[in-house]
Amino acid sequence: MVRVDLGMGGDQAVLARQGSMVLYQGKVDFSYKGAGFAGRIVGNATGQEMQLMRCSGRGQVFLAEDASMLHPIELQGDAVCVSAENVLAFDETLQYEVRRIEGHGIPGGALFTMQFQGTGTIVVKTHGVPVVLPVTPTTFADCNAVVAWSAASQVIVSSQVRMRRNAYPGDTGESVNLQFRGAPGNFIVVQPYEV
């Protein structure tokens, strides 16, 4: 679980995945946060849709989902890319948008992710203990296991065929890998689980 302290030094609010509240204390208001009609269409088309609730007021809210491991990432004016699947909550002050990653060999011709930017916290959820590594020119990751990365990193899509045991008839075992390149300080987060 993660504890969110509301009303401690300002009128901040937190946006959280609907249904993620497991406990709260104090005077807390929960309201539906729609992204607008156009935002929902973009979300549906890209697979990066999030149904959010706005938590505001004074008190403490505890959030969780499916006993996932939770990891707060503090942003100080920088940006991070996270799959919507892995976002549990974030400060309302953060700006967010869908980012497109183009590449050959990808069904539909592109992958999509959410980019968060500004000053505040985003809570990321993972299946199992993730690995956080610095980005080097030889950093490759399975796109189904990547949770987050520094938005300043360059992402290159590469398709590779790999053999899988127990593959069903007609399954090629093809996987899309992402290559990351970036300046010192850039990072990538990968979980031991393929979505």
Side-chain angles (χ1 to χ4, degrees), residues 38 50 69-70 76 78 85 92 94 102 184:
M50 291 183 289
M69 299 190 79
L70 304 178
Q76 299 294 324
D78 46 345
E85 169 92 12
E92 189 178 46
L94 292 176
E102 296 185 17

Side-chain angles (χ1 to χ4, degrees), residues 4-5 15 17-18 28 37 69 77 102 105 131 147-148 156 183 185 189:
V4 178
D5 295 323
L15 299 179
R17 187 175 293 275
Q18 285 185 15
V28 180
F37 182 72
M69 299 190 79
E102 296 185 17
V131 171
V147 173
I156 301 166
V189 180

Side-chain angles (χ1 to χ4, degrees), residues 86-166:
N86 297 97
V87 175
L88 182 73
F90 55 95
D91 285 329
E92 189 178 46
T93 55
L94 292 176
Q95 299 169 353
Y96 59 99
E97 64 183 359
V98 176
R99 181 173 163 184
R100 179 183 174 104
I101 303 167
E102 296 185 17
H104 300 292
I106 301 175
L111 293 172
F112 297 91
T113 187
M114 296 296 298
Q115 179 173 306
F116 294 85
Q117 186 169 5
T119 300
T121 303
I122 177 171
V123 179
V124 175
K125 60 190 183 85
T126 64
H127 295 277
V129 179
V131 171
V132 180
L133 293 174
V135 171
T136 71
T138 56
T139 302
F140 291 83
D142 186 317
C143 71
N144 294 317
V146 173
V147 173
W149 67 86
S150 302
S153 299
Q154 179 186 8
V155 182
I156 301 166
V157 178
S158 67
S159 255
Q160 294 185 352
V161 176
R162 63 181 182 183
M163 301 303 292
R164 291 186 183 171
R165 290 189 289 174
N166 302 326

Side-chain angles (χ1 to χ4, degrees), residues 26-37:
K27 293 188 174 186
V28 180
D29 179 50
F30 299 93
S31 59
Y32 173 74
K33 174 69 175 175
F37 182 72

Side-chain angles (χ1 to χ4, degrees), residues 16-58:
R17 187 175 293 275
Q18 285 185 15
S20 63
M21 186 279 294
V22 293
L23 170 74
Y24 75 93
Q25 294 179 313
K27 293 188 174 186
V28 180
D29 179 50
F30 299 93
S31 59
Y32 173 74
K33 174 69 175 175
F37 182 72
R40 284 195 296 274
I41 294 298
V42 168
N44 284 331
T46 63
Q48 297 298 307
E49 181 180 23
M50 291 183 289
Q51 297 296 321
L52 301 171
M53 62 182 175
R54 184 175 188 266
C55 310
S56 59
R58 295 187 64 86

